[in-house]
Amino acid sequence: MEYRRFDRELILRLDPGDELCGAVTAVCRIEGISLASVCGIGACDRAEIGLYDVSSRKFTGRTFSEPLEIACVAGNVTEMDGQVYLHLHITLADSRMRSWSGHLKSCRISATAEIILRIFSGRVGRVYDDATGLNILDFSGTSPGESSFS
Amino acid sequence: MEYRRFDRELILRLDPGDELCGAVTAVCRIEGISLASVCGIGACDRAEIGLYDVSSRKFTGRTFSEPLEIACVAGNVTEMDGQVYLHLHITLADSRMRSWSGHLKSCRISATAEIILRIFSGRVGRVYDDATGLNILDFSGTSPGESSFS
Amino acid sequence: MEYRRFDRELILRLDPGDELCGAVTAVCRIEGISLASVCGIGACDRAEIGLYDVSSRKFTGRTFSEPLEIACVAGNVTEMDGQVYLHLHITLADSRMRSWSGHLKSCRISATAEIILRIFSGRVGRVYDDATGLNILDFSGTSPGESSFS
């Protein structure tokens, strides 16, 4: 992988064999990024994606092992327990152009991926939420926020 | 729901039962946001989406009532007749990871949703367009614009 | 088409008959944009999309000729050999709300499209990569970058 940061934007190129989630997390650690939006495109040959069912609290996963376009990978970088926390969803295309989507667990780049991070000047945490069984956004320690509402 | 604004970015968390379009519109009213891009991910258990056919001027809708991941919700906030005008398209994933997409009419959050608004310093309106039957972007009252072309 | 630029953001409206890739490229040339992220929604009635298979080095294409929503078009603007280089992936929805995705070759707008460019203050090039057969991001001539890693 290789990247360049321009002020509050960072452009990342992933190369064959790179795992997307691990690479984005590594870049955030190196650059000290604690809050950012993520959006990207690319191609992969292996992807684990899933869906979380709140009522059953079960995560249904599916692994694809074939040439796939990454039509869109989107989400955010926040912090939990002082660590980078990456939350991404992805839309993939198979060779018939059919789309498959879900929460992204891992994804191995086949050709290339081009990921753009927009870095925000602030902090947002995560807290485990009993009601849903998920680590949801936690604004309690947020700084500096201009305004908030809950 | 709960959100925090950081300069020109706003991060919004939606909670179980929240309706996405209504919540984003409400935040824009509270914050006085007249122009923004919107991008987000999450999960819902009910969504009304559709497709507009220009030639027949008919909107075909479909309602999904099942656990769905929000792979990507994208669009913008503008103004029409002095009111917040939200235009979003969405890509959903069902439990088999199949994707369903379209114009978003409404969407009820099941677990959580994480929506990022990027706020622009300007105004863009909407005007009803006879040729298509849609409310299209209208730059005539735009200010302050550095450059334009039509 | 018509657009307005606000500082580092540009909002573009495409009209019936406009070809998306050609229009975005034209706007970048007019505005002197060499580096940007692209995200948009809309509707089209013709789209050529595809998937690139690295192992066979073959591009599989598919053309859709029907009313389609553009659920999400995402990607970036860079430069190659001094020219604007546009790289976009797209997710489309047919009248049954099924999604089709891939690398975007061309797309004819039916009703409207609303595309947002975020312009970065820097340059990123492209170089042909023998290993994949693709024009990948090249940061060697990048300026001005605050930090980089490879």
Side-chain angles (χ1 to χ4, degrees), chain A residues 2 18 23 38 66 78-79 85 95 97 130-131 143:
Chain A
E2 193 175 350
D18 286 343
V38 181
E66 59 189 280
T78 53
E79 279 183 324
Y85 191 104
S95 60
M97 304 300 117
D130 252 354
S143 69

Side-chain angles (χ1 to χ4, degrees), chain B:
Chain B
M1 73 171 179
E2 192 174 349
Y3 70 82
R4 193 59 59 103
R5 183 171 174 174
F6 300 90
D7 189 16
R8 287 171 63 188
E9 263 91 30
L10 189 149
I11 303 181
L12 167 64
R13 188 196 72 225
L14 299 182
D15 299 316
D18 286 344
E19 195 284 305
L20 195 151
C21 298
V24 173
T25 302
V27 168
C28 290
R29 283 182 189 142
I30 294 166
E31 289 291 319
I33 296 169
S34 56
L35 186 60
S37 63
V38 181
C39 189
I41 60 175
C44 66
D45 54 14
R46 191 170 189 283
E48 290 180 273
I49 64 175
L51 173 139
Y52 181 75
D53 183 357
V54 183
S55 57
S56 66
R57 295 209 171 197
K58 278 187 187 156
F59 191 88
T60 309
R62 187 163 173 176
T63 301
F64 295 82
S65 296
E66 60 190 279
L68 297 156
E69 293 283 303
I70 300 171
C72 179
V73 56
N76 57 66
V77 174
T78 53
E79 279 184 324
M80 188 168 185
D81 302 327
Q83 299 297 312
V84 172
Y85 191 104
L86 182 66
H87 186 196
L88 298 176
H89 285 195
I90 197 165
T91 299
L92 302 164
D94 66 20
S95 59
R96 288 173 54 197
M97 303 301 118
R98 291 180 303 184
S99 300
W100 306 93
S101 301
H103 176 95
L104 180 62
K105 293 186 81 171
S106 74
C107 169
R108 185 178 63 197
I109 301 308
S110 56
T112 195
E114 300 171 359
I115 314 287
I116 296 177
L117 276 73
R118 173 147 181 83
I119 303 155
F120 304 164
S121 52
R123 287 185 129 72
V124 172
R126 295 261 172 192
V127 65
Y128 179 77
D129 176 51
D130 252 352
T132 57
L134 295 172
N135 299 320
I136 63 167
L137 294 178
D138 172 30
F139 298 98
S140 62
T142 305
S143 70
E146 291 191 340
S147 54
S148 62
F149 175 87
S150 65

Side-chain angles (χ1 to χ4, degrees), chain C:
Chain C
M1 70 170 180
E2 193 174 350
Y3 70 82
R4 192 61 58 104
R5 183 172 174 174
F6 300 90
D7 188 15
R8 289 171 62 188
E9 263 90 31
L10 189 149
I11 302 180
L12 167 65
R13 188 195 73 227
L14 299 182
D15 299 315
D18 286 343
E19 195 283 304
L20 194 151
C21 298
V24 172
T25 302
V27 167
C28 290
R29 284 182 188 140
I30 295 166
E31 290 290 320
I33 295 168
S34 57
L35 186 61
S37 63
V38 181
C39 189
I41 59 174
C44 66
D45 54 15
R46 191 171 190 284
E48 290 181 273
I49 64 176
L51 172 138
Y52 181 76
D53 182 357
V54 183
S55 57
S56 66
R57 296 211 172 196
K58 278 186 188 157
F59 190 87
T60 310
R62 187 162 172 177
T63 301
F64 295 83
S65 296
E66 60 190 278
L68 297 156
E69 294 283 303
I70 299 170
C72 180
V73 57
N76 57 67
V77 174
T78 52
E79 281 184 323
M80 188 171 185
D81 302 327
Q83 299 296 312
V84 172
Y85 192 103
L86 183 65
H87 185 198
L88 297 177
H89 285 195
I90 197 165
T91 299
L92 302 164
D94 66 20
S95 60
R96 287 173 55 196
M97 305 300 117
R98 290 181 303 185
S99 301
W100 306 93
S101 301
H103 176 94
L104 181 61
K105 294 185 81 171
S106 74
C107 169
R108 185 178 63 195
I109 301 307
S110 56
T112 194
E114 302 171 358
I115 314 287
I116 296 177
L117 276 73
R118 172 147 183 83
I119 304 155
F120 304 163
S121 52
R123 289 185 129 73
V124 172
R126 295 259 172 193
V127 64
Y128 179 78
D129 175 52
D130 251 354
T132 57
L134 295 172
N135 299 320
I136 64 167
L137 294 178
D138 172 30
F139 298 99
S140 61
T142 305
S143 68
E146 291 191 340
S147 54
S148 63
F149 174 88
S150 65

